[in-house]
Amino acid sequence: MNKKWLKGVLSGALLTGLLAGCSGGDAAPEGGSEGKGVNLRLYTYGTEEAYNWKKTIASYEEANPGITVEVVNLSEKGDTAEASKKLDLAAASGEPMDILMFSDAAGYAQRVALGMAEPLDDYIAKDGYKVEEDYKIDTRLDGKVYALPGKFNPWYVLLNKDHLDEAGLQVPTDWTWDEYAEYAKKLTKGEGASKRYGTYFHGPQGGGWLEFVKLMMINQPQGADYLKADGSSNLDNPNFKRTLELRVKMEKQDQSSVPYSDMISQKLNYRTQFFNQSASMITIGSWMNTEIGGTEKVPLTFHVAVAPFPKNDKGDSIGNAPVTTDYVSVAASSKHKQEAYDFVRWYTTEGQVVQNKNVPAWNQVKEEEVTKIIENILAGTKNPELVDQQSLVKTLLASKASELVPPASYQAEVYKAINEEYEKLILGNQNIDTTVKNSQERTQKIIDSNKK
């Protein structure tokens, strides 16, 4: 793994503490979870409300007498940044820990680089399954598995079903970006301040939401990011330029997407753009499952349907999309590694169904189980009857993640540079070829300076 990861991640004192904490772990015992009186400590950012821990843990403890699981909640608000800081401090001070949850690929890869997570390959081989076959997300880093994926939050397209019906359009079950652009054109209506746009793209902005400048990269099985796994540039990928062409065509030529200048100057939000019916479609993550039926703050007054993330070409496989998950690991410092692994495997499979809060990344989950989970999620919204539940379930079942590219330590710098070049393009200050060239050159400079 790229040693640059270690640079600036944690202080020297913390790193020393981490390594001291990690060195005391026992070798994995040969047997399963048969030892009596084993207490496993699970460090998580997940709140009781969001993760249903009491019910989930009770189910496991009942099936595994002698094993208790103690949930160490690192943030009462479910704030992942706060939780990450507290986790690092707990590791540095040598607190006993057995199971760790990371909220994003960067946090997962950083802590693997620091030796906090135990490789799980031997346990997996003993159990006789393959991560890439059993789960929708491949969590490998440098060829090794350090976590199993919990929830499965792919990106998808939210559609105003009333607007679709009005335009005589079907809810797509398999479509391309060209078709998405055609839909956006047909859904655009009116002029001036009251104009309704076919779609709204919530980025890039301020070095964030960079998914929106790689729409035709992140739906590919491999090479889905601006950087490759070895930290080198991936901006010669033709799908980077194709994304720029798509964004320019839709905003400037078709005038079917909300102008970038409006998003920035008016500080627009994707929720209000969609729920106020200012835009008929938004491409966004399925963390929106808890909101698409409407909330107290943002009510729903129309019918909503869901479509999969678009493909680039007709022949591409359906369902590849950006995905967020929980990376559930065994702590390298755990004195109960086998028992911790057994819990991690259960939690990321049957445990996800018991938890009944998120769609699992486990491939063996049945359609009726996903339907039940979705029913439970939508029941917490104001108007679940307005959501086309079948289109949501079908989209989630069809979705799958691209290959994980561990983020480089200089990723934020690359994002900022690409964001700036995109702004010059979309605001009319340079053409597409110049944008690609400048993005490539600036990214290479950042890579070179970080190698020194």
Side-chain angles (χ1 to χ4, degrees):
M1 180 170 292
N2 190 337
K3 294 296 186 290
K4 289 283 179 185
W5 265 114
L6 300 178
K7 182 181 172 185
V9 175
L10 301 165
S11 67
L14 176 52
L15 182 56
T16 304
L18 279 171
L19 295 175
C22 293
S23 64
D26 295 342
E30 287 299 310
S33 302
E34 294 164 7
K36 298 294 176 187
V38 172
N39 182 61
L40 300 174
R41 305 189 84 219
L42 163 60
Y43 282 71
T44 178
Y45 48 84
T47 61
E48 174 61 30
E49 183 187 23
Y51 280 81
N52 210 0
W53 287 122
K54 286 174 186 168
K55 180 189 172 189
T56 308
I57 299 302
S59 176
Y60 187 75
E61 290 177 346
E62 187 182 343
N64 295 272
I67 305 289
T68 55
V69 182
E70 176 189 349
V71 176
V72 182
N73 193 299
L74 296 163
S75 172
E76 288 180 14
K77 306 187 294 287
D79 183 322
T80 55
E82 177 191 9
S84 293
K85 287 175 188 170
K86 286 186 178 176
L87 176 66
D88 292 341
L89 288 170
S93 62
E95 283 184 28
M97 41 179 60
D98 301 287
I99 300 145
L100 312 173
M101 273 178 65
F102 308 114
S103 65
D104 63 287
Y108 166 51
Q110 279 179 344
R111 283 152 189 93
V112 165
L114 288 164
M116 284 176 70
E118 181 75 5
L120 303 180
D121 303 82
D122 290 345
Y123 300 93
I124 291 165
K126 195 161 62 175
D127 273 1
Y129 65 92
K130 291 182 179 176
V131 170
E132 67 274 21
E133 292 174 2
D134 241 31
Y135 296 92
K136 290 173 180 282
I137 300 168
D138 189 344
T139 54
R140 278 190 191 85
L141 290 170
D142 282 355
K144 288 188 176 182
V145 177
Y146 295 90
L148 296 179
K151 68 185 179 188
F152 180 69
N153 276 352
W155 280 46
Y156 52 26
V157 180
L158 293 182
L159 305 145
N160 185 315
K161 179 76 162 50
D162 296 349
H163 291 176
L164 255 63
D165 292 346
E166 178 192 292
L169 296 169
Q170 297 295 311
V171 176
T173 56
D174 182 0
W175 57 342
T176 64
W177 278 113
D178 284 344
E179 289 166 331
Y180 182 97
E182 281 305 307
Y183 265 59
K185 250 165 69 171
K186 289 173 181 172
L187 291 165
T188 300
K189 192 176 179 183
E191 293 295 333
S194 61
K195 180 175 178 177
R196 185 187 85 198
Y197 287 91
T199 196
Y200 168 77
F201 294 116
H202 191 60
Q205 48 178 303
W209 295 99
L210 264 291
E211 292 89 353
F212 291 101
V213 194
K214 50 177 175 174
L215 294 169
M216 299 180 82
M217 295 173 75
I218 50 180
N219 61 5
Q220 297 300 295
Q222 284 93 29
D225 213 335
Y226 300 119
L227 298 173
K228 296 176 184 174
D230 62 2
S232 63
S233 174
N234 191 31
L235 292 182
D236 58 353
N237 185 321
N239 290 324
F240 174 55
K241 183 178 180 180
R242 286 179 76 185
T243 304
L244 298 178
E245 289 168 341
L246 175 77
R247 292 293 306 270
V248 169
K249 175 184 182 289
M250 291 184 71
E251 179 172 330
K252 306 297 186 186
Q253 188 180 318
D254 300 346
Q255 298 181 6
S256 61
S257 69
V258 177
Y260 182 83
S261 56
D262 287 4
M263 181 193 79
I264 298 298
S265 63
Q266 297 173 35
K267 295 184 170 62
L268 298 179
N269 182 279
Y270 60 85
R271 286 179 179 85
T272 46
Q273 284 293 292
F274 185 67
F275 287 103
N276 290 351
Q277 304 193 66
S278 301
S280 302
M281 306 189 295
I282 59 166
T283 305
I284 203 68
S286 56
W287 58 78
M288 287 297 291
N289 288 347
T290 57
E291 301 178 45
I292 57 176
T295 61
E296 201 78 60
K297 206 171 178 182
V298 188
L300 176 64
T301 57
F302 55 91
H303 292 88
V304 173
V306 184
F309 200 80
K311 310 186 299 189
N312 294 352
D313 302 299
K314 291 268 190 193
D316 292 353
S317 64
I318 184 174
N320 278 312
V323 169
T324 55
T325 190
D326 294 323
Y327 297 88
V328 192
S329 298
V330 171
S333 60
S334 173
K335 298 193 186 303
H336 308 290
K337 290 191 179 75
Q338 180 68 54
E339 290 87 350
Y341 164 78
D342 290 342
F343 175 82
V344 168
R345 173 62 171 161
W346 175 86
Y347 173 72
T348 58
T349 54
E350 299 161 51
Q352 290 291 292
V353 180
V354 172
Q355 200 168 53
N356 198 26
K357 282 287 188 180
N358 294 290
V359 173
W362 186 35
N363 265 328
Q364 308 307 316
V365 69
K366 300 179 180 70
E367 183 170 342
E368 58 266 29
E369 290 170 332
V370 174
T371 301
K372 186 183 164 196
I373 292 167
I374 291 299
E375 282 173 357
N376 181 57
I377 292 168
L378 291 178
T381 65
K382 288 290 184 186
N383 294 100
E385 74 282 356
L386 293 177
V387 179
D388 180 347
Q389 185 179 297
Q390 188 182 15
S391 69
L392 173 56
V393 171
K394 295 285 186 194
T395 293
L396 293 169
L397 286 169
S399 300
K400 50 186 178 284
S402 304
E403 183 180 63
L404 175 64
V405 180
S409 59
Y410 42 87
Q411 180 172 281
E413 293 176 72
V414 171
Y415 278 14
K416 185 172 179 288
I418 293 171
N419 194 156
E420 288 169 359
E421 293 305 320
Y422 176 78
E423 282 200 355
K424 292 175 197 170
L425 166 69
I426 209 68
L427 297 177
N429 297 320
Q430 68 185 19
N431 63 28
I432 289 173
D433 287 335
T434 305
T435 302
V436 171
K437 181 172 173 287
N438 289 354
S439 298
Q440 289 172 336
E441 288 175 356
R442 289 183 67 180
T443 295
Q444 195 56 52
K445 277 183 185 172
I446 291 165
I447 294 167
D448 293 342
S449 67
N450 276 274
K451 280 180 182 171
K452 290 170 187 173

